[in-house]
Amino acid sequence: MNITPKWWHDAVVYQIYPRSYCDSNNDGMGDLRGVISKLDYLQTLGVNVLWLSPVYQSPMDDNGYDISDYQDIAPMFGTMADMDALLAEAKQRDIRIIMDLVVNHTSDEHPWFKEARKSKDNPYRDYYIWRKPNEDGSVPDEMGSVFGGTAWEFDEQTGEYFLHIFSKRQPDLNWENPKVQEEVHKMMNWWLDKGVGGFRLDVIDLIGKEIDKKITGNGPRLHGLIQEMNRATFGDKDVLTVGETWDATPEIAKLYSNPARDEFSMVFQFEHISLTWQHGDKWSPIPLDLPALKRVLTKWQVELADEGWNSLFWNNHDLPRIVSKYGCEGEYRVQSAKMLATTLHMMKGTPYVYQGEEIGMTNVAFPSIDDYRDIETLNFYKVRTENGVSPEDQLAAIHVNSRDNARTPMQWDDSANGGFSEAQPWINVNPNYTHINVAQALDDPNSIFYHYQHLIALRKAMPVIVYGAFEPVFEDHPAVFGYVRANDDVRVLVLSNFTRESVTVELPESLQAEQVECLISNYAAPSTLAQTVTLQPYESFAVVLPA
């Protein structure tokens, strides 16, 4: 299958978590006007798509992923006029805005749910998933919530339980009801008519659930529902759609992203993220096994080569900072951040940059659980410490994997609160803002920021990076990740040392060269490739091999 070129194939997406990005009115909370004020900065970086985490009306039980009105803006972020201004200002800079859309569940304050809980025969009752208690009054089944505890909440007024796979304030929509589908499609078209550039669809793999069969993710009805959504909304429009799919395999990802199937542009898969979770438990972190990471990333590169499209990411609003996770947040922070960027951005797929990644922001180690704001972090701290885990051990796990690592305010300069706000922010700034910030990065020609800028420019300039074949090298090496990107015209070798030690490798003859063109590097640029190559700590480079 030949891939038909799309505008998003050579695009780079920048994710903004609005409450933590820039506070324009000094109330401690980031907002849409703050985002508008930074569009020139983002244009300088070179990104051409902004993915906004939810800014809809919401009681903020889960930081906006609990939506009470899909067609209004939460006052903390501004107004619909501000949203319209953002769309217009971004368009002037050739930047598209992608909305984060949550349609697996709503807030319990959404008008649909308020109606649904009034009576069992309310017209909106069947918009949600209800079950009678067992004869002894207990929950309908043992299904657990992602945020801890049961996934069923008792409603006193009607005497039945409603399903919430996430917080009890996030009741799940019933996608078996055609009226739910119609309402969601109508709302999506309203946003498309406003001029948004697409959607990131939160936990979309859950909408095909069949609860009585104990099926939540990847249900048998899922792909039919997505194809109906495609036909009814974005299918005939030139927009980017990406589904969040935690349990996707390459085979499943092809179902979502093969253009012939009329579903999404691409999906987020998380197999490379959960490698450092012992037995799938993020609160039991384990060290990175590099050969395992290489196997996973290579598998996705190779299997989706001609039947679908990859999203490339290290970070998002739910994940720890990658320089702390797979790099070195201390002595080699700059080198390892550049290495991780090169490794990812030279692959095939659409890269995503999460706010602060481009300046090497790190995890935060707040001293007390009282400093944390994330509902998942707080719930699991309570559950685990009540079940015998020491507060010190659970706090240590939180320092590694809490979602709040990604949610501390953007570090703009070394002034109070990192230049994010003149008021006390909703969550504390990482104390290292005094030396890790945008102002410092823009002043340093060798900063991580300019490395990202260079990578983004290379992708736009070189079709081999966008469409070339992917060939792994040094597949079993414990320290070095290497691969070749190739098309009919050019071969590019990418080599990265994932450790703080110098590493020497023997290059196969096909990769040796008396002269190479270096595209990007984080140490001195190599000009030749001998049989033996020594990589410095976290060294990484991409070179064009002779034809």
Side-chain angles (χ1 to χ4, degrees):
M1 179 184 102
N2 287 323
I3 293 176
T4 304
K6 299 283 189 183
W7 66 264
W8 36 265
H9 284 167
D10 69 357
V12 176
V13 184
Y14 187 96
Q15 185 192 354
I16 288 177
Y17 196 69
R19 65 168 51 216
S20 297
Y21 199 58
C22 179
D23 175 14
S24 72
N25 61 352
N26 293 311
D27 64 355
M29 187 75 62
D31 47 50
L32 291 173
R33 288 279 162 194
V35 176
I36 292 170
S37 74
K38 301 300 183 183
L39 287 174
D40 287 343
Y41 164 77
L42 295 166
Q43 188 178 26
T44 300
L45 180 60
V47 296
N48 48 349
V49 187
L50 301 184
W51 152 25
L52 281 190
S53 283
V55 291
Y56 314 96
Q57 186 70 262
S58 167
M60 299 292 163
D61 184 57
D62 185 23
N63 287 8
Y65 285 85
D66 50 318
I67 299 169
S68 57
D69 188 340
Y70 287 101
Q71 291 170 235
D72 200 4
I73 301 296
M76 67 172 63
F77 296 131
T79 64
M80 190 57 75
D82 294 332
M83 187 70 223
D84 291 337
L86 173 59
L87 287 166
E89 291 283 341
K91 187 175 182 180
Q92 284 182 9
R93 295 165 176 82
D94 294 321
I95 294 175
R96 305 181 197 224
I97 304 291
I98 288 183
M99 299 297 282
D100 205 328
L101 192 57
V102 190
V103 294
N104 173 69
H105 49 265
T106 68
S107 163
D108 62 352
E109 293 187 24
H110 195 289
W112 300 342
F113 191 70
K114 287 182 176 178
E115 286 294 319
R117 70 194 316 178
K118 284 181 179 175
S119 70
K120 292 180 188 175
D121 57 3
N122 187 282
Y124 287 92
R125 183 73 171 183
D126 199 32
Y127 275 45
Y128 296 87
I129 298 168
W130 301 87
R131 294 291 182 270
K132 295 186 172 94
N134 291 325
E135 287 185 10
D136 61 359
S138 62
V139 295
D141 60 38
E142 298 306 306
M143 186 173 294
S145 159
V146 172
F147 290 162
T150 176
W152 295 100
E153 181 72 8
F154 189 65
D155 179 60
E156 295 281 352
Q157 191 159 330
T158 57
E160 289 187 346
Y161 284 90
F162 65 84
L163 180 76
H164 61 92
I165 289 180
F166 295 91
S167 156
K168 65 184 180 184
R169 300 203 54 198
Q170 293 170 292
D172 280 56
L173 284 165
N174 175 19
W175 275 80
E176 294 188 20
N177 181 350
K179 287 185 178 155
V180 168
Q181 299 170 43
E182 286 170 26
E183 294 268 21
V184 169
H185 298 162
K186 186 171 142 191
M187 173 269 295
M188 291 174 73
N189 282 324
W190 185 85
W191 278 107
L192 288 165
D193 289 344
K194 264 194 175 295
V196 301
F199 300 101
R200 178 262 187 188
L201 293 115
D202 187 69
V203 295
I204 197 66
D205 54 343
L206 300 181
I207 67 169
K209 66 178 78 69
E210 295 189 13
I211 294 307
D212 298 327
K213 294 180 181 175
K214 306 290 188 287
I215 296 171
T216 52
N218 296 313
R221 298 172 56 255
L222 174 64
H223 293 282
L225 288 170
I226 293 172
Q227 286 166 356
E228 284 177 37
M229 178 188 286
N230 179 300
R231 281 192 295 273
T233 62
F234 52 77
D236 61 349
K237 297 171 179 65
D238 191 19
V239 297
L240 188 162
T241 52
V242 53
E244 182 193 29
T245 57
W246 272 88
D247 296 323
T249 61
E251 288 306 312
I252 292 171
K254 290 176 194 177
L255 300 180
Y256 286 110
S257 67
N258 186 327
R261 290 181 49 82
D262 294 328
E263 295 193 20
F264 296 146
S265 310
M266 66 190 87
V267 294
F268 289 131
Q269 58 82 19
F270 296 86
E271 196 177 350
H272 63 301
I273 298 297
S274 54
L275 290 172
T276 53
W277 302 357
Q278 189 166 26
H279 309 306
D281 175 13
K282 72 186 275 184
W283 304 115
S284 300
I286 53 175
L288 173 66
D289 173 351
L290 182 65
L293 176 69
K294 293 193 289 186
R295 283 193 295 275
V296 168
L297 292 175
T298 297
K299 173 176 71 176
W300 283 87
Q301 286 286 296
V302 171
E303 300 224 2
L304 263 66
D306 298 315
E307 288 183 71
W309 195 256
N310 273 298
S311 59
L312 306 171
F313 70 97
W314 289 128
N315 296 277
N316 70 23
H317 62 288
D318 286 335
L319 301 176
R321 294 284 180 178
I322 194 63
V323 74
S324 299
K325 188 80 172 168
Y326 290 170
C328 167
E329 63 179 31
E331 180 184 1
Y332 295 109
R333 182 183 66 88
V334 172
Q335 293 91 334
S336 65
K338 290 179 179 181
M339 178 277 290
L340 289 161
T342 300
T343 302
L344 191 79
H345 281 246
M346 296 301 292
M347 290 188 196
K348 185 176 184 177
T350 298
Y352 289 72
V353 178
Y354 180 72
Q355 63 182 48
E357 179 185 341
E358 76 279 14
I359 59 167
M361 280 177 63
T362 69
N363 279 359
V364 68
F366 289 136
S368 164
I369 189 63
D370 297 332
D371 295 316
Y372 286 86
R373 300 290 177 263
D374 170 39
I375 183 174
E376 180 191 55
T377 298
L378 299 175
N379 283 0
F380 273 97
Y381 181 86
K382 182 174 185 291
V383 167
R384 295 210 166 206
T385 54
E386 285 174 354
N387 286 313
V389 176
S390 74
E392 296 76 20
D393 284 351
Q394 185 58 23
L395 203 57
I398 285 168
H399 291 162
V400 174
N401 272 338
S402 169
R403 301 195 300 183
D404 278 342
N405 282 309
R407 300 178 182 185
T408 57
M410 182 71 178
Q411 294 161 209
W412 293 104
D413 57 40
D414 61 3
S415 66
N417 302 318
F420 164 75
S421 176
E422 291 174 18
Q424 174 62 35
W426 70 277
I427 186 172
N428 289 336
V429 180
N430 190 320
N432 64 21
Y433 75 87
T434 54
H435 64 278
I436 301 174
N437 59 65
V438 169
Q440 181 276 330
L442 292 177
D443 279 347
D444 176 5
N446 294 315
S447 70
I448 299 163
F449 175 91
Y450 291 115
H451 195 84
Y452 271 85
Q453 184 191 58
H454 189 177
L455 284 165
I456 292 167
L458 283 173
R459 174 169 291 269
K460 293 191 178 358
M462 298 187 68
V464 68
I465 300 173
V466 183
Y467 298 112
F470 177 96
E471 304 159 16
V473 293
F474 302 118
E475 289 182 78
D476 299 318
H477 198 288
V480 174
F481 192 171
Y483 57 86
V484 171
R485 299 296 312 283
N487 61 18
D488 292 340
D489 303 315
V490 66
R491 285 190 309 153
V492 176
L493 170 67
V494 181
L495 278 186
S496 297
N497 177 4
F498 267 68
T499 71
R500 57 170 54 244
E501 312 296 334
S502 294
V503 177
T504 299
V505 291
E506 300 283 320
L507 286 184
E509 196 171 335
S510 62
L511 300 180
Q512 296 171 29
E514 289 182 9
Q515 190 169 6
V516 292
E517 176 197 352
C518 185
L519 298 175
I520 194 163
S521 63
N522 60 353
Y523 281 80
S527 57
T528 65
L529 286 180
Q531 182 179 354
T532 301
V533 172
T534 298
L535 297 169
Q536 300 305 308
Y538 296 105
E539 182 172 3
S540 178
F541 58 75
V543 296
V544 177
L545 298 168

